Amino acid sequence: MKQYFRLLSLTVLGFLLISVKSFGQNNRETEFNNIGWYVFFGNFKLDDKWSVHGEFQWRRTDWITNPQQNLYRIGVNYKIHSQVTFRVGYAFIDTFNYGDQPIAANGIRFPENRLYQMAIINNPIGKFNLTHRFMLEQRWVGRSLDPNATKADESVFLKRFRYMFRGDIPLAGPTLEDKEPYLAIYDEIMIGFGENVNQNIFDQNRLGILGGYRFSGSFRVEGGYFNQTVQFGRLVNGKNYFQNNQGLIINSYFNF
């Protein structure tokens, strides 16, 4: 257990150092967008160890007016311990042309197909429930090198590692029960690696500060402030280019 926490601490420290180095550069430009993310999570239990996961994320700019992304994700969960769950699955992401500078240089809407492997570790300490989520992604991102293209005609292979830390605290008692509120805060950092990573070794950081309500063991809802920092995989006018997207996130969780 001590080795686990030592490795976890070194991993988080390494991510923070990479993030600080990236954010400390002067040769950069940043744009700002207001966003709204509206998310459905569904978990379908098969037995004590196996379950099926499905989710849909409706991501918008200008709070809700214009499209940013649509994300569809499915997976199979296997619980190897009461506090440790593994998941493997597939995701499809549809990214639109939004913001001052489009993510695709020629401004096209582009698809992404993704495989992922994930481990979730729950670590309750007193009233707090701490969660660590580790994820590996293999991504096939659509693109076109034709400046006059209207859609993607090829894909580029990218790899990414993600780590999320989340803390939940109940507001009505020592543990979260039905018909009780809670608070949550999380931060997730994403690191690109391997060939084709280009500019965005630091890929994204996501921060959420949320209030939630558990209606029952089968349904809960949470919402609050959300901040997404994105680094482009290309230079814009010879500079590293970032998006600072902030606004609202609403998550709904269903367990069947």
Side-chain angles (χ1 to χ4, degrees):
M1 186 61 68
K2 290 182 179 179
Q3 291 180 342
Y4 160 72
F5 282 110
R6 187 179 298 116
L7 177 61
L8 180 61
S9 298
L10 291 174
T11 301
V12 175
L13 179 61
F15 287 166
L16 289 174
L17 289 174
I18 292 172
S19 180
V20 168
K21 181 178 179 181
S22 179
F23 281 106
Q25 297 173 353
N26 292 323
N27 185 35
R28 57 179 289 180
E29 290 186 9
T30 303
E31 72 172 62
F32 297 87
N33 298 294
N34 294 319
I35 59 173
W37 285 20
Y38 310 95
V39 186
F40 162 87
F41 297 99
N43 204 56
F44 305 85
K45 187 176 180 180
L46 302 177
D47 57 30
D48 290 340
K49 291 186 177 294
W50 293 94
S51 60
V52 177
H53 174 84
E55 68 184 82
F56 171 65
Q57 300 193 21
W58 194 51
R59 302 172 175 177
R60 312 291 288 179
T61 60
D62 296 321
W63 304 104
I64 198 171
T65 307
N66 299 308
Q68 182 191 22
Q69 285 181 321
N70 293 330
L71 181 146
Y72 311 83
R73 184 153 46 203
I74 58 173
V76 177
N77 299 321
Y78 181 73
K79 182 174 287 189
I80 65 169
H81 185 273
S82 61
Q83 297 176 351
V84 182
T85 301
F86 284 113
R87 180 186 300 162
V88 295
Y90 165 80
F92 175 78
I93 300 90
D94 191 13
T95 300
F96 295 81
N97 179 3
Y98 70 93
D100 297 333
Q101 287 285 348
I103 293 179
N106 51 5
I108 62 171
R109 170 181 174 180
F110 61 89
E112 176 184 342
N113 292 280
R114 183 186 300 172
L115 298 177
Y116 69 93
Q117 305 81 42
M118 184 171 71
I120 303 172
I121 302 172
N122 292 311
N123 181 213
I125 300 177
K127 291 184 63 173
F128 291 91
N129 184 54
L130 307 181
T131 303
H132 306 278
R133 189 180 78 176
F134 304 86
M135 185 185 297
L136 277 174
E137 296 176 324
Q138 300 82 46
R139 309 166 62 206
W140 288 265
V141 181
R143 71 173 183 182
S144 178
L145 299 179
D146 180 358
N148 299 314
T150 58
K151 63 180 181 179
D153 51 30
E154 64 177 9
S155 62
V156 59
F157 178 65
L158 299 169
K159 292 181 285 187
R160 187 165 66 184
F161 179 74
R162 302 168 58 163
Y163 168 71
M164 184 185 77
F165 173 80
R166 173 170 169 142
D168 293 70
I169 182 170
L171 297 179
T175 59
L176 182 61
E177 305 294 339
D178 292 350
K179 299 181 181 179
E180 290 185 357
Y182 63 93
L183 292 177
I185 184 170
Y186 69 88
D187 190 81
E188 181 175 24
I189 189 166
M190 306 181 189
I191 303 296
F193 66 96
E195 60 181 347
N196 301 321
V197 70
N198 296 329
Q199 306 302 318
N200 56 341
I201 294 177
F202 167 82
D203 184 86
Q204 288 191 41
N205 192 82
R206 298 176 181 177
L207 170 70
I209 303 173
L210 312 173
Y213 189 83
R214 172 173 159 163
F215 292 89
S216 69
S218 300
F219 177 55
R220 64 186 172 94
V221 175
E222 62 187 24
Y225 172 77
F226 180 67
N227 181 282
Q228 177 197 33
T229 301
V230 180
Q231 181 174 5
F232 281 21
R234 61 185 177 89
L235 298 177
V236 176
N237 299 322
K239 295 184 178 182
N240 291 299
Y241 199 83
F242 289 78
Q243 287 181 348
N244 189 324
N245 303 322
Q246 54 185 328
L248 172 70
I249 188 168
I250 298 175
N251 299 322
S252 58
Y253 298 85
F254 295 84
N255 293 303
F256 303 99

